[in-house]
Amino acid sequence: ALGIFAKRRTRIEIKGVDNAFVWFVHLGYAWLIVVALVPFHADVFRLSAAARHAMALGFITPLIFGVAYRVLPIFNGVNLWSHRLLRASFWALAIGSTLSFAMALNKAYETRWSYAWAAAAGLLVLTAVVLFAINIAQTLRVRPEKYVRGQPVRLTTRVTELLEAAPELRPVLIHNGLAGLAAMRHNPPRFVTIEFAARRHQVDPGPLLAALNEAIKRV
């Protein structure tokens, strides 16, 4: 009913955002299903520790990572600093959470590999957190270039900054497919770029950019 694993009807490519962020979302909900199948009562197969590890490291942490990788580059108006670190943090977290769950199972059954698996799981999860923190910190350090009146409009130009510098371009945007602006009393949120708005309205951004730049020459 939630459509979490359903195929997206519209794929929106946003500059600066790595769509691999959805891996974290899928991982989180996959672990949520696992947690739902594991009894929490300590007397039932003694799996409560495994369930807690799966909930914390398998469900909550991936969702935090995925949402951050998705929204922070957009809100800051910049590209994600490293796509490789995103993928590395995903695999480290996925393997670490799996080992952590398996370690909890071993702990419940008191096998000799419990502490070795616990050390490996902890190291992998810590690595994932460090890679995530570095990637996000470096991303937030970058400051987007502000639009100045008379400059050519690009896909990464923010709609609000464009309209603040040249409000007469609003009809051009509406006429070329961004009909949502006609119903808005104020400018859109500052993270909305020309590319983002065009994809949301299912408009080819090429002709839109051409029309905007042609209008700028006439202003």
Side-chain angles (χ1 to χ4, degrees), residues 41 56 81 86 113 125 175 212:
H41 196 282
W81 186 65
L86 180 149
W113 295 104
V125 172
H175 179 73
L212 287 170

Side-chain angles (χ1 to χ4, degrees), residues 45-203:
F45 302 115
R46 302 172 66 187
L47 295 178
S48 60
R52 290 194 300 270
H53 281 81
M55 190 69 179
L57 300 179
F59 174 63
I60 298 175
T61 305
L63 288 188
I64 293 173
F65 282 23
V67 170
Y69 278 132
R70 174 65 172 83
V71 303
L72 292 181
I74 295 177
F75 286 165
N76 207 40
V78 298
N79 294 342
L80 182 66
W81 186 65
S82 173
H83 299 281
R84 289 184 177 180
L85 284 186
L86 180 149
R87 286 162 169 76
S89 64
F90 170 80
W91 289 114
L93 183 61
I95 298 173
S97 59
T98 302
L99 286 179
S100 178
F101 181 78
M103 175 274 298
L105 287 179
N106 272 339
K107 185 65 177 176
Y109 292 111
E110 298 179 354
T111 63
R112 61 179 180 176
W113 295 104
S114 298
Y115 294 106
W117 284 23
L123 181 60
L124 284 168
V125 172
L126 177 61
T127 300
V129 172
V130 170
L131 294 178
F132 167 78
I134 292 173
N135 207 1
I136 293 300
Q138 292 294 336
T139 299
L140 296 181
R141 285 184 60 189
V142 180
R143 291 292 176 262
E145 182 180 351
K146 191 172 183 178
Y147 178 77
V148 178
R149 184 182 178 90
Q151 287 183 341
V153 180
R154 300 181 176 87
L155 290 176
T156 56
T157 300
R158 299 188 185 191
V159 176
T160 293
E161 291 183 356
L162 176 65
L163 293 177
E164 288 175 348
E168 63 274 12
L169 294 179
R170 192 182 192 93
V172 179
L173 290 168
I174 296 173
H175 179 73
N176 285 274
L178 303 191
L181 285 174
M184 298 178 65
R185 298 179 59 184
H186 305 287
N187 291 333
R190 288 194 172 272
F191 65 83
V192 176
T193 63
I194 294 294
E195 181 183 23
F196 183 92
R199 299 302 183 192
R200 280 293 182 185
H201 287 79
Q202 298 184 356
V203 174

